[in-house]
Amino acid sequence: TAGITQAPTSQILAAGRSMTLRCTQDMRHNAMYWYRQDLGLGLRLIHYSNTAGTTGKGEVPDGYSVSRANTDDFPLTLASAVPSQTSVYFCASSSQEVEQFFGPGTRLTVL
Amino acid sequence: GQNIDQPTEMTATEGAIVQINCTYQTSGFNGLFWYQQHAGEAPTFLSYNVLDGLEEKGRFSSFLSRSKGYSYLLLKELQMKDSASYLCAVKDSNYQLIWGAGTKLIIKP
């Protein structure tokens, strides 16, 4: 079982360009999350989805959008990237079990 | 505001015991989590506490005091592979995880 996959693994993006980070899980988890992780800071929640068809804003949603068309996929889109969005992005999922399971992350650099 | 505090970095010796502390101030409490994160990798779940007391799982134990807003992770018989960052997170009243910045644990031979 793959668990959670993310693509791409890393990306260098010019400021002003758009990009979609992909996340797919095969565990049939209802809830999915997008976090960013920056040096010296804890994981910060960008957006979440408690079930397919619904999404919510986290702590740092500005500049990002998400969709949840089905249970497995939860893409994160940057409409017009800025250098402050340089970060490592983690997708995670959970069900009724307690813990969240994380994907391997996408390292994004915006120049 | 919501806040999770844990030491930035700790150093310990292989074979020894280390305790990593975490204090929290959050809007509501629905459980405290510890995750391990090796450099360049994703966080992986270690433990979960929702009631006061000690939870033991092999070489790792986690303690919670809700009245004090305090938890610790205890690692025994340290191995070199335990060199990693340890993340404390609290599930708040909205059932979202609030994360500490993590404690980088360095194990020396």
Side-chain angles (χ1 to χ4, degrees):
Chain A
T1 301
I4 300 182
T5 58
Q6 292 185 235
T9 302
S10 64
Q11 183 74 44
I12 299 174
L13 188 66
R17 300 295 294 270
S18 66
M19 177 164 186
T20 295
L21 279 60
R22 299 185 297 279
C23 175
T24 299
Q25 54 105 357
D26 63 1
M27 297 176 284
R28 309 303 293 171
H29 286 169
N30 289 327
M32 297 188 74
Y33 313 85
W34 273 106
Y35 292 96
R36 60 178 290 172
Q37 187 174 41
D38 302 290
L39 197 63
L41 300 177
L43 288 160
R44 292 183 290 170
L45 183 65
I46 304 170
H47 285 285
Y48 66 93
S49 169
N50 287 330
T51 189
T54 69
T55 62
K57 293 182 179 180
E59 179 187 356
V60 289
D62 294 344
Y64 306 95
S65 63
V66 292
S67 61
R68 187 85 184 278
N70 56 61
T71 298
D72 298 345
D73 301 299
F74 191 42
L76 176 74
T77 297
L78 288 69
S80 179
V82 295
S84 62
Q85 292 179 308
T86 294
S87 187
V88 179
Y89 291 85
F90 286 104
C91 179
S93 71
S94 68
S95 66
Q96 274 74 25
E97 284 80 31
V98 169
E99 71 264 33
Q100 293 183 9
F101 295 84
F102 284 79
T106 294
R107 185 174 297 274
L108 179 66
T109 302
V110 182
L111 300 176
Chain B
Q2 306 201 94
N3 197 50
I4 310 283
D5 285 319
Q6 47 181 135
T8 302
E9 186 175 297
M10 298 181 70
T11 302
T13 303
E14 189 178 16
I17 299 173
V18 70
Q19 177 175 311
I20 302 173
N21 295 326
C22 171
T23 58
Y24 63 89
Q25 292 177 309
T26 57
S27 58
F29 179 86
N30 286 294
L32 185 142
F33 298 76
W34 285 96
Y35 279 75
Q36 181 189 60
Q37 186 178 24
H38 286 99
E41 298 183 7
T44 56
F45 171 77
L46 285 178
S47 68
Y48 169 67
N49 294 70
V50 66
L51 299 176
D52 290 351
L54 189 68
E55 294 281 344
E56 296 185 83
K57 190 185 296 185
R59 295 189 299 113
F60 293 6
S61 303
S62 56
F63 171 83
L64 174 66
S65 169
R66 288 172 296 170
S67 63
K68 296 182 179 179
Y70 168 71
S71 173
Y72 67 73
L73 180 69
L74 192 71
L75 291 74
K76 303 175 185 177
E77 301 170 11
L78 286 170
Q79 303 175 9
M80 297 304 293
K81 67 179 182 179
D82 297 330
S83 293
S85 289
Y86 292 86
L87 314 181
C88 175
V90 172
K91 187 170 282 189
D92 69 6
S93 57
N94 294 319
Y95 292 89
Q96 301 298 346
L97 285 178
I98 308 301
W99 296 81
T103 298
K104 182 179 181 180
L105 179 63
I106 300 168
I107 310 296
K108 295 186 175 180

